[in-house]
Amino acid sequence: DAPGNWYFEASFPLQVRDKDGNVIGRSYAMAQTDWMTTDQVEFTGNVTIDSDYTGPAVLILLKDNPSGLPEHDDSTEFDIFIK
């Protein structure tokens, strides 16, 4: 789940970064319920890795920020392992 205010038009960006911080995958998460709320909203998303990288990585959920203003940025990270 992600906060409703992270979504814009029912989606928010996803990134996968390798152990060196290089972006190796990008995609979008899509809301599965009403996203126009301040409550938590379920989402689904798939990220395809752009290389043959295997090993530790980070999945990053990024608050969609159409304004581009840094004070509206937010994110959360999860350690993952790519096989």
Side-chain angles (χ1 to χ4, degrees), residues 1-66:
D1 295 355
N5 66 348
W6 276 38
Y7 296 82
F8 180 73
E9 299 298 332
S11 69
F12 63 85
L14 303 172
Q15 281 186 359
V16 175
R17 292 183 178 257
D18 67 15
K19 63 181 168 74
D20 297 322
N22 301 308
V23 176
I24 57 172
R26 294 177 196 270
S27 188
Y28 284 88
M30 297 299 299
Q32 297 302 293
T33 58
D34 180 18
W35 59 277
M36 296 187 73
T37 178
T38 57
D39 294 332
Q40 296 290 310
V41 177
E42 290 183 35
F43 65 87
T44 61
N46 293 310
V47 180
T48 301
I49 303 305
D50 298 331
S51 69
D52 59 355
Y53 178 81
T54 60
V58 178
L59 169 64
I60 305 170
L61 312 181
L62 298 152
K63 179 183 177 186
D64 202 331
N65 179 10

